[in-house]
Structures are given as structure tokens and as C-alpha cells.
Amino acid sequence: MTAAETAAARRDEPELGEGVHAVLATGERPPRPSALTMALTFGWRGLLKIKHVPEQLLDVTVTPVMFVLMFTYLFGGAIAGSTGAYLQFILPGILVMSVLFTTVYSGVTLNTDVTKGVVDRFRSLPIWSPAPLVGALLGDAARYLVAGLVIVVLGLILGYRPDAGPAGVVAAIALVVVFAFALSWAFTTLGLVMRAPNAVMNTGFMLLFPLTFLSNAFVEPSTLPAALEWFVGVNPISHVITAARGLMEGGATGGEIGLVLAEAAALTAIFAPLTTHLYRRA
Amino acid sequence: MSDGLAIEASGLVKEFGDTRAVDGVDLAVRPGTVYGILGPNGAGKTTTIKMLATLLRPDGGSARVLGHDVVAEADAVRSGVSLTGQLASVDEDLTGQENLILIGRLLGYSRSAARSRAADLLDAFGLADAAGRQVKNYSGGMRRRLDIAASIVVTPRLIFLDEPTTGLDPRSRSQVWDIVRALVGDGTTVLLCTQYLDEADQLAEGIAVIDSGRVIAEGTPAQLKASVGSGALRVRLLDPDRREDAARVLAERLGVEVVREADPAALSAPAADGARAAAAVAALADAGAEVADFALGQPSLDEVFMALTGHPAESGAPDGLADREEAA
Ligand SMILES: Nc1ncnc2c1ncn2[C@@H]1O[C@H](COP(=O)(O)OP(=O)(O)OP(=O)(O)O)[C@@H](O)[C@H]1O
Ligand SMILES: [Mg+2]
């Protein structure tokens, strides 16, 4: 840039120096907020992202909606004898699936923050260091809720009838959201070890797809070969589906619900510290 | 602060696998000054800044920033510094206003105080009109300004700027420079990483030149230039065919060896004495070798870099001649 160009540039631009000077003079440091305020602030950021990029909700709801329609009308007759009976069977499973798929996006979002450099700013602030993670997952819970509601509403339109009524549905969604919150820690860990958001997405779905299909979402485990039946039996996603089905149909046992909560606690206990540790040195 | 330094690093080392990204860097930065870290791609600038800003833990050596150890007292360091990273560290999905409110809330402002602070900052940085737009729709210059604004939501005592003008057009660069001058005018210490040699020259009081993770030279811009020697006269002729005639005239007038540059119409020659150089240029016209443009100045930091490392900086300023006087 030549001196003449610089001078010309200065002429048609407002002088920034003066304004910056004034705004600096007014800055004084407010007291440090609580960890909760910080986490909620990051949760607010997550909600803003949903507001600005609503397409991200579309991504995670279109697939389960397609599954509901496809399985009900394509396979319903063959597997359960009637589309109505099959919808009644698979809807809780698809609810779980649709919410759990959403958890992969927690890892994708975090990876995007790292690759775009936003994380560097957060980590250089004097804040409670897990706040960005906890807050983001709280914001994501809103997404889980939307994903869950879409499936339930679609099911009701198509003729699904939860025997346990609205209370059962609410309880089922709540349980699934709790489990999703725990599972999303696994994907944030993945988000911090992978190089690019796309890689997180692909790996995440590669793990989650077989796990959701090798569950009791679509078929009665008793119809499966022994080895598969065993796997479906130990798959935590089957446990979530069993509990959700029980809550929606009535007849869920404390043991079924307790198992899901214990698995959620275990996932959190392993992956929350791991994510936090990796985040500190991202 | 023990001995009044804003940054005091000794023997900083960072290794990534086999790469020694930073290999024993010492720095001493006085408060209230702009200090430049100058180096080509991969020199270790970002890694050094990240260690000083507590984002990376050093593998060796130690550093105190604002009097606090960057490892043992990381939180105290964070309370006094701000980082504007190499990648504009703002959330592209949010609007400019939301970005600033977010930082304000995290630093303890109430909802309404964060909002009004954001408005003031957007005004001061010429972003008021874009306040409600998503950052992904900002130009590079706007994004940079927002990024710096986010760093001064609470006025920091020290700000790290990692290549703040890379990829900006001349106008945006000069805006960022204005901001840096305003900051330092207000007593903030600035640590500025740059690949642009003229940028360090324009802004910094002290410069460390780093290459392959080591400081290879340190001093004021003038000292660095002096270490390379006298200034130079550079001439471009209207007609390349007259170059040999012109070279003869210059050699005669200046009494030095004239360099024929890659550009077939360009010549350069060492010239310590401005008056004599001007007379030599005038003599060219008399000899019928019309001059398209000429520049007279101290050696650029590009030349300094060449002299220090034996290889050119991989990426100099687009036209790193800000310290030369141009004439048509
Ligand atoms: N996280 C990392 N893992 C492995 N190697 C890294 C990492 N960060 C930096 N490096 C390597 O360390 C060296 C110094 O990198 P650094 O980013 O500090 O350079 P720089 O001076 O900032 O360069 P640039 O001008 O390109 O930003 C490079 O060789 C780089 O490849
Ligand atoms: Mg860098």
C-alpha cells in the first residue's frame, strides 16, 4: 500500500481511533458471574444458533420422519400383520432413535467451534472451564425436545395411541432426553479428537446407526438368531427403548427405568471428564 | 509485577510430536507498548501466543504475564488479558450484537449492561449498521473489527493479536492499525504477531524476529534495519531499453554498484544520502531515461529478514513499502 493510498483510505472512512478511545475509557470490570450463569449463557448461545440456523433441526427430524413412514407402511404389513399394530410397536423406538441421532450434532458443533477458532476465545476468558460444554449440551436438550415432539405428534396423526396417556409420553420424552444428554458427552469427546466436523458426523452415525438398528426398536428380539438376540439384550439403546415403550404403554418397571438412569450416569461419568480434559488442551 | 514487565518469557518450548514448534523463546515486553513477533508461516508465532495466553501448556521454560505465571496462575492471567486469535474467534452463526452480548454476559455484565456495552462497542468500531446481521455475512475487515471489539468488552491490560490484518485490504488494515494505536494510547500492552514486515514497523516499538521456533533477532525496527545496512534507491523506467544507460548514470552519480532487478525496467542501488539520490534521479531525466516511479527509503524489513535468515520471508506484505516515500 502506498502512502497516497493510505491517505485516501483514511479520507472516506470514519476515524476509528477516536471512538475506540472513548469506548475503552468506559470499560470497568464487573464481578465474576456464577458457574450457573455462565453455563446458562452458553445454553442461550445454543438456542440462538437454532434460531439462526433452523435447518439443523430439519436435518435431524427428516430421517426419523422418513423411518416412521417407511417402516409403518412398507414393512408394517409384513412384520406385524397390520400397519396400525406395527406403528404402535415402533413409535417409541423411533422416538429414541430420533433423539439419539441428534446427540451426534453436539459433537459436530463442538468440533466446528474448535476448527473455527471460537474455542480459543472461550478458553482465554476467565470463566469456569466446563461452562461452554455444559451450556452447549443444555442448549442441545432443546433440540432433543423438538426431535422427540415431532415424532410423537407425527405418530398421533398417523394413529398411534399411547395407553399411558399424556403423562406417560412426557415421562418417556424426559427419560430419553436425560439419556441423550449423557450420550452427547460421548460425541463431544469424539468431536474433540476428530479433525473436521464432517468426520465427526460420519463416525458418529457409523457408530449410532448399527446400535439403533441392532436394538428392539423394529423387531421382537425373540425372532432373532441367538447371537443377535444376546447383543440386542445388552445394548443400552434397547434398554432406553424398553423403558420408553413401557412408559408410553404403561407397565414400565422401576428396574427398567433405573437401568437407563444408571447407564446415563455411567456415560456421563466416563465421557464428561474426558471431554473436559480434552477441551482444556484443544 | 516484580520488575515491571508485562510479558517475561524465558526458554519457552513447545513440541508437537517430533516438531519443536517453539524452541527456547525469550521475550521481555514493557507495559504500554506494542511488541511485534515477526516470522514466516510455521515460525511458531501462534504457538508462542497460545502459551502466553494460557491455552497451551509449555513443555519447557516459563513465562509470566502481567506478573502471573502462565501455568500456576492461569486464571489470574486470563483475568487481565484478551486474545484475538488467528482465526477470527467469533461465532459466525450469531449476529455481531449477540456475539458481544455473549462475551459481556460471560464476563459478568447484567443483561442490560451487556446489551448497552455491545451497542457502544459496535458504534465505536463502525459496525452499528451490521449489528443485527449474522457474522458469516460480514466482510473480512468487519469480522476482524468485531473480533477485536470482543476482546475489549472489558478493557484488558494486555491484548494478544495474532495476525490481525492477514487477508485484509489496505483500507481495513489501516482501520485495524488505528484501533491498535488507540489501544496502546490508552495504556494497553499489545503483543502483535504478524507476517507483514511493514506492519511491525508501523506499530511496534520492539520486534522479535522468529524463525523455526527461535528468536533470531530482537530490537527496535530502526536497530533491525541498521543491522542490515544503508537504505536503497529503487527506480522504474518508462522504457526498459534505456536501462543500461540509466544504470551507467546512477553508478556514476552515486559511486556504487547498481543492481539490475528481475523487473526489466527496474534498477536499485544502495543510497544512504537522500539529497544525492534525488540528484541522481534528476540526472536520469536529463540523460533521456524517463522515470516511471522511484522510491527512496530505509531497507524494508523484508530485506532484514533476508539478511538474518538467508532466505526470504515466505509471505511479505502485499507491497511492503510503507516506509518508503513514493513519487510518480
Ligand atoms: N496442534 C498442533 N499439532 C501439531 N503440530 C502443530 C500444532 N500447532 C502447530 N503445529 C506446528 O508447529 C509449527 C509452528 O506453528 P505455528 O502455528 O505456531 O506457526 P505460526 O508462526 O503461527 O505460522 P502461521 O504464520 O502459518 O500462522 C508448525 O510447524 C506447525 O505445523
Ligand atoms: Mg499462526
Side-chain angles (χ1 to χ4, degrees):
Chain A
M1 170 172 52
T2 65
E5 274 172 280
T6 314
R10 295 249 162 93
R11 238 173 287 127
D12 25 286
E13 270 303 308
E15 259 301 336
L16 287 174
E18 274 314 300
V20 171
H21 196 76
V23 88
L24 276 175
T26 64
E28 58 194 64
R29 182 168 282 274
R32 186 178 164 129
S34 69
L36 180 69
T37 306
M38 293 179 195
L40 289 177
T41 302
F42 280 106
W44 172 71
R45 167 177 181 246
L47 295 182
L48 284 175
K49 274 175 164 322
I50 297 178
K51 180 181 124 196
H52 288 298
V53 198
E55 305 90 273
Q56 56 182 314
L57 286 178
L58 210 67
D59 285 351
V60 298
T61 44
V62 163
T63 320
V65 164
M66 263 171 36
F67 279 147
V68 173
L69 298 173
M70 202 172 75
F71 277 92
T72 307
Y73 295 109
L74 210 56
F75 305 131
I79 298 179
S82 85
T83 54
Y86 195 49
L87 178 65
Q88 202 69 26
F89 178 74
I90 60 168
L91 197 97
I94 294 187
L95 167 69
V96 171
M97 184 175 172
S98 120
V99 173
L100 296 193
F101 278 2
T102 316
T103 59
V104 176
Y105 286 85
S106 305
V108 175
T109 313
L110 181 58
N111 186 278
T112 309
D113 282 357
V114 173
T115 45
K116 289 254 167 86
V118 194
V119 161
D120 281 350
R121 172 170 313 279
F122 295 153
R123 289 178 59 232
S124 70
L125 293 173
I127 57 176
W128 180 54
S129 64
L133 301 164
V134 176
L137 295 188
L138 286 177
D140 286 346
R143 271 197 269 187
Y144 307 155
L145 220 55
V146 171
L149 285 174
V150 165
I151 296 304
V152 169
V153 169
L154 179 70
L156 291 173
I157 292 171
L158 297 181
Y160 174 75
R161 292 296 171 260
D163 293 340
V169 173
V170 170
I173 292 182
L175 183 71
V176 176
V177 169
V178 167
F179 185 82
F181 184 81
L183 182 64
S184 58
W185 285 111
F187 289 108
T188 50
T189 299
L190 189 69
L192 289 171
V193 296
M194 306 289 299
R195 276 174 189 278
N198 261 341
V200 179
M201 177 104 88
N202 293 338
T203 313
F205 280 114
M206 232 161 59
L207 293 170
L208 207 50
F209 237 85
L211 278 176
T212 34
F213 275 95
L214 299 180
S215 73
N216 56 1
F218 299 106
V219 291
E220 286 290 359
S222 56
T223 63
L224 298 170
L228 215 52
E229 188 185 350
W230 170 84
F231 182 81
V232 168
V234 299
N235 182 354
I237 294 182
S238 301
H239 304 159
V240 184
I241 294 170
T242 304
R245 205 176 263 150
L247 285 167
M248 290 166 90
E249 315 280 293
T253 67
E256 286 166 356
I257 296 170
L259 179 60
V260 172
L261 293 177
E263 282 166 346
L267 279 171
T268 310
I270 297 169
F271 289 108
L274 197 55
T275 299
T276 311
H277 172 79
L278 290 169
Y279 186 80
R280 284 217 181 93
R281 40 192 58 213
Chain B
M1 259 170 282
S2 49
D3 48 3
L5 288 174
I7 300 178
E8 203 183 348
S10 68
L12 276 185
V13 172
K14 185 73 200 177
E15 289 168 333
F16 296 108
D18 289 342
T19 329
R20 246 174 132 78
V22 174
D23 191 6
V25 164
D26 300 329
L27 288 174
V29 178
R30 290 193 302 113
T33 62
V34 182
Y35 193 87
I37 295 185
L38 183 64
N41 285 125
K45 303 182 295 294
T46 299
T47 309
T48 303
I49 272 203
K50 282 191 168 177
M51 287 191 281
L52 295 174
T54 76
L55 301 190
L56 280 178
R57 180 187 281 263
D59 293 327
S62 66
R64 297 182 81 75
V65 171
L66 301 172
H68 301 287
D69 186 89
V70 293
V71 178
E73 301 165 290
D75 219 48
V77 173
R78 285 184 205 129
S79 301
V81 307
S82 274
L83 169 73
T84 302
Q86 183 165 4
L87 307 159
S89 26
V90 285
D91 190 330
E92 296 197 326
D93 290 332
L94 305 194
T95 67
Q97 186 194 30
E98 288 163 349
N99 266 290
L100 296 182
I101 294 177
L102 175 73
I103 305 292
R105 291 287 287 148
L106 292 173
L107 292 173
Y109 282 100
S110 69
R111 224 172 290 257
S112 61
R115 184 169 290 272
S116 86
R117 182 78 181 133
D120 291 348
L121 285 164
L122 289 163
D123 253 349
F125 282 76
L127 293 168
D129 293 340
R133 259 194 278 152
Q134 274 179 287
V135 174
K136 65 167 66 130
N137 301 322
Y138 279 24
S139 71
M142 291 162 74
R143 195 179 293 223
R144 250 318 159 193
R145 276 181 279 149
L146 179 68
D147 203 10
I148 300 177
S151 295
I152 63 167
V153 169
V154 167
T155 308
R157 288 168 60 202
L158 187 152
I159 185 167
F160 296 105
L161 297 173
D162 194 353
E163 302 198 21
T165 67
T166 299
L168 299 192
D169 66 17
R171 192 176 70 176
S172 301
R173 290 183 88 200
S174 87
Q175 287 182 332
V176 170
W177 290 354
D178 286 345
I179 294 169
V180 173
R181 291 189 184 106
L183 280 169
V184 76
D186 234 77
T188 298
T189 310
V190 179
L191 186 71
L192 171 84
C193 279
T194 182
Q195 299 181 32
Y196 294 140
L197 307 155
D198 67 323
E199 182 160 286
D201 192 20
Q202 287 271 321
L203 297 173
E205 190 172 292
I207 299 178
V209 183
I210 71 170
D211 190 34
S212 308
R214 291 167 191 275
V215 177
I216 55 170
E218 218 257 327
T220 64
Q223 284 170 338
L224 288 176
K225 288 176 185 167
S227 70
V228 180
S230 64
L233 170 67
R234 196 170 166 281
V235 177
R236 261 188 103 249
L237 303 167
L238 273 180
D239 181 0
D241 291 342
R242 306 301 306 262
R243 186 156 88 158
E244 286 313 312
D245 298 340
R248 209 172 325 108
V249 173
L250 285 185
E252 220 165 79
R253 290 286 174 148
L254 296 171
V256 292
E257 198 174 326
V258 177
V259 179
R260 282 142 188 94
E261 303 214 333
D263 176 347
L267 292 168
S268 67
D273 176 353
R276 211 166 151 197
V281 172
L284 289 178
D286 295 341
E290 277 187 89
V291 174
D293 69 79
F294 71 92
L296 175 63
Q298 294 185 291
S300 72
L301 284 169
D302 265 318
E303 286 152 338
V304 173
F305 203 87
M306 183 74 192
L308 289 171
T309 64
H311 61 81
E314 272 169 51
S315 141
D319 197 356
L321 298 172
D323 53 333
R324 297 182 179 181
E325 283 168 32
E326 297 265 340

